[in-house]
């Protein structure tokens, strides 16, 4: 059955694109479900971070372009909506890539803040090889993550990155050996710091990082961070952590 599954592990929402027989290729319906799953995580006060994965054997084999119909631009934008919802998510996101991430599937992985790669992970642009222009902002996302040389090698020269190459070139944070369950568990563990932190603070820090990434001057970044930092100092959560730290220090011999 083609569906997007949503489970919660502690305070981490785990979103799984589940259509293994078609290697989790994005249809219009699956993309709609992906949007809904992200929105559910954002509305759930007990979810502080999100992991996105695909049912084995693939992460996501791309978009099912045969389902677009005559309204191709409208259909493409509807396909994009799934991974763009992930890209726009207010919560931190981690892609657990256990198999091939191809075309729009690569976009889904790129849309996350961090990627973990299983031993069978493959990052494959493949648009040119299919005779189609890249879409969904792939060239922008890829360029910003890995720079012009790797982006060009993948997009125009057909280079496919395995897990080790993805880590070496900065496309993935780490390689996780083992099966799909171990990979997802590692992603949930990585999300632990966000899961344990105050949700509003996690959301604000992610928003600030998006802003400072666009700034050229250090001084502008200082100003951008100042207001939310002052606000965080006034919160009960900070007061409790400060009191606990003082208690630990005073209790030392």
């Amino acid at each position: 059955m083609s569906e997007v599954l949503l489970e919660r592990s502690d305070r981490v929402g785990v979103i799984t694109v589940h259509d293994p027989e078609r290697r989790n290729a994005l249809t219009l319906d699956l993309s709609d479900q992906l949007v809904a799953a992200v929105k559910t995580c954002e509305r759930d006060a007990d979810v502080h971070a999100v992991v996105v994965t695909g049912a084995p054997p693939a992460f996501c084999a791309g978009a099912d372009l045969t389902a677009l119909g005559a309204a191709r631009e409208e259909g493409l934008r509807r396909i994009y909506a799934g991974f763009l919802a992930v890209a726009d998510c207010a919560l931190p996101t981690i892609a657990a890539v256990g198999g091939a991430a191809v075309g729009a599937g690569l976009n889904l992985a790129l849309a996350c803040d961090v990627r973990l790669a299983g031993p069978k992970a493959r990052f494959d642009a493949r648009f040119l090889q299919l005779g189609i222009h890249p879409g969904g902002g792939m060239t922008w996302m890829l360029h910003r993550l890995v720079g012009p040389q790797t982006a060009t090698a993948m997009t125009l020269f057909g280079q496919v990155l395995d897990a080790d190459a993805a880590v070496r070139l900065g496309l993935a944070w780490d390689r996780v050996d083992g099966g799909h369950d171990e990979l997802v568990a590692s992603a949930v563990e990585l999300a632990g710091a966000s899961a344990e932190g105050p949700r509003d603070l996690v959301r604000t820090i992610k928003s600030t990082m998006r802003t400072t990434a666009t700034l050229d001057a250090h001084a502008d970044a200082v100003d951008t961070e100042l207001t939310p930092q002052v606000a965080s100092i006034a919160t009960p959560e900070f007061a409790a952590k400060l009191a606990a730290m003082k208690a630990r220090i005073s209790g030392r011999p």
Side-chain angles (χ1 to χ4, degrees):
M1 181 178 179
S2 302
E3 57 186 341
V4 172
L5 307 176
L6 175 58
E7 301 173 315
R8 200 172 76 201
S9 179
D10 296 325
R11 293 180 175 179
V12 180
V14 179
I15 297 173
T16 303
V17 181
H18 189 272
D19 189 0
E21 291 186 1
R22 294 172 6 91
R23 301 177 66 81
N24 308 319
L26 290 178
T27 61
L28 300 178
D29 182 55
L30 281 177
S31 188
D32 291 344
Q33 291 183 49
L34 188 53
V35 173
V38 172
K39 289 182 177 179
T40 297
C41 289
E42 291 183 315
R43 287 193 298 263
D44 188 340
D46 289 328
V47 173
H48 292 205
V50 176
V51 170
V52 178
T53 192
F59 176 73
C60 176
D64 181 2
L65 299 181
T66 64
L68 295 181
R72 290 181 181 173
E73 181 174 341
E74 179 182 344
L76 285 169
R77 288 191 179 276
R78 192 169 156 196
I79 289 287
Y80 299 163
F83 57 76
L84 291 180
V86 175
D88 294 336
C89 184
L91 301 169
T93 54
I94 301 171
V97 183
V102 181
L106 175 61
N107 282 357
L108 179 58
L110 296 175
C112 292
D113 299 314
V114 172
R115 283 145 296 282
L116 292 182
K120 296 182 180 179
R122 297 291 183 272
F123 299 87
D124 185 355
R126 203 179 295 188
F127 287 98
L128 177 61
Q129 287 71 26
L130 295 175
I132 186 174
H133 193 282
M138 190 214 77
T139 58
W140 183 83
M141 291 189 290
L142 192 57
H143 189 280
R144 286 166 66 88
L145 276 170
V146 297
Q149 179 166 254
T150 299
T152 300
M154 293 179 66
T155 307
L156 286 174
F157 298 140
Q159 296 300 296
V160 178
L161 304 188
D162 62 13
D164 292 332
V167 172
R168 185 177 72 252
L169 295 168
L171 183 57
W173 171 249
D174 200 4
R175 169 180 167 143
V176 177
D177 288 325
H180 180 73
D181 290 345
E182 289 82 1
L183 175 63
V184 172
S186 294
V188 171
E189 182 181 3
L190 180 61
S194 290
E196 294 172 5
R199 189 176 193 264
D200 288 344
L201 180 59
V202 169
R203 287 166 56 98
T204 300
I205 292 174
K206 177 166 178 175
S207 176
T208 297
M209 291 180 69
R210 284 175 167 170
T211 299
T212 56
T214 68
L215 302 178
D216 294 323
H218 188 178
D220 292 337
V222 171
D223 291 342
T224 299
E225 293 175 349
L226 186 59
T227 297
Q229 186 176 48
V230 169
S232 69
I233 291 172
T235 62
E237 291 87 356
F238 175 73
K241 290 182 182 296
L242 184 61
M245 182 178 65
K246 287 180 177 179
R248 287 196 302 271
I249 293 173
S250 62
R252 291 176 182 172

